[in-house]
Amino acid sequence: MKKYILSLILFLSIITLSNAQSYLGYVTKQVNFRTESNTSCEIISSLPRGTTLFVISKDKINGFYQVLNIETNKEGFVHSSFVQLDKMLPKNENGIFTPVGKTSSTKPIIKIHNNTSLTLTLKLNNDLYTFSPQERKTLTLSSGSYTYRASAPGVLPDYGTENMQSNYEYEWSFYVSTSRN
């Protein structure tokens, strides 16, 4: 019975994480930007009114939103009473990693190029990778499903889910796309 309950909780957690919808939001008045979702933790900085946030999910943790400060590309927490949600930001349903062929490695291999003058942050599930401008890295991962978020200072993040298969090599080149809405 305990095994069943643990499996059910894990399954529901995975569904919740993979279905989380992100939003663009704004700080409504000066507020503390925190490392955790409580008022006794470290303060990263004070955010002025109007600061643009990438709200990772509308699901609150102790009354706080987990957010990414778009200007600085830092992740933290802001109390939800000081955040105005603006618009839903769609998940990238097409993914970002392009399969380029089979490989002899049983683990998926991803070749990544940060093709910008900005520092790139790539979050794959709970692992964070940082890429300097124009840096190239090769990652070897376990096969399976990954939630990802690619972000850089001053850029709206790209996020979605990718399925990485054994014996495959993938490529991805990060660049900044500009458009007017």
Side-chain angles (χ1 to χ4, degrees):
M1 184 65 170
K2 285 183 181 181
K3 194 175 200 178
Y4 172 75
I5 292 172
L6 183 60
S7 296
L8 181 61
I9 290 170
L10 181 61
F11 176 73
L12 291 174
S13 297
I14 291 169
I15 287 176
T16 302
L17 286 175
S18 64
N19 289 328
Q21 183 60 58
S22 297
Y23 290 80
L24 188 62
Y26 301 94
V27 172
T28 58
K29 70 181 241 182
Q30 188 152 342
V31 65
N32 289 329
F33 184 42
R34 299 183 175 276
T35 57
E36 297 175 37
S37 59
N38 64 64
T39 56
S40 60
C41 69
E42 181 183 342
I43 296 171
I44 298 169
S45 66
S46 180
L47 300 177
R49 181 177 186 254
T51 300
T52 307
L53 302 173
F54 176 79
V55 180
I56 295 168
S57 168
K58 276 191 354 182
D59 297 333
K60 298 172 191 167
I61 304 168
N62 298 327
F64 286 77
Y65 286 133
Q66 185 174 8
V67 301
L68 189 72
N69 179 343
I70 292 176
E71 182 182 331
T72 63
N73 196 34
K74 290 195 186 300
E75 189 172 331
F77 294 85
V78 174
H79 198 276
S80 61
S81 62
F82 301 110
V83 177
Q84 174 66 49
L85 296 179
D86 184 30
K87 65 180 180 177
M88 185 173 67
L89 296 174
K91 281 184 180 180
N92 182 343
E93 299 295 336
N94 299 322
I96 58 174
F97 302 108
T98 304
V100 292
K102 292 243 180 190
T103 179
S104 60
S105 172
T106 57
K107 294 187 173 198
I109 296 172
I110 306 171
K111 294 183 176 180
I112 299 171
H113 177 213
N114 178 8
N115 195 17
T116 72
S117 60
L118 303 170
T119 299
L120 162 69
T121 302
L122 177 63
K123 189 168 189 176
L124 293 170
N125 290 343
N126 291 318
D127 295 324
L128 211 55
Y129 302 91
T130 303
F131 299 80
S132 299
Q134 297 303 319
E135 182 176 13
R136 294 176 186 269
K137 281 186 188 176
T138 300
L139 304 178
T140 303
L141 304 173
S142 297
S143 58
S145 182
Y146 287 84
T147 57
Y148 72 86
R149 182 180 70 230
S151 59
V155 178
L156 285 178
D158 186 1
Y159 76 104
T161 305
E162 288 275 354
N163 188 34
M164 308 308 256
Q165 296 180 28
S166 295
N167 300 101
Y168 270 89
E169 182 176 307
Y170 299 85
E171 288 182 350
W172 178 54
S173 184
F174 178 72
Y175 61 93
V176 176
S177 174
T178 57
S179 64
R180 293 180 182 238
N181 291 334

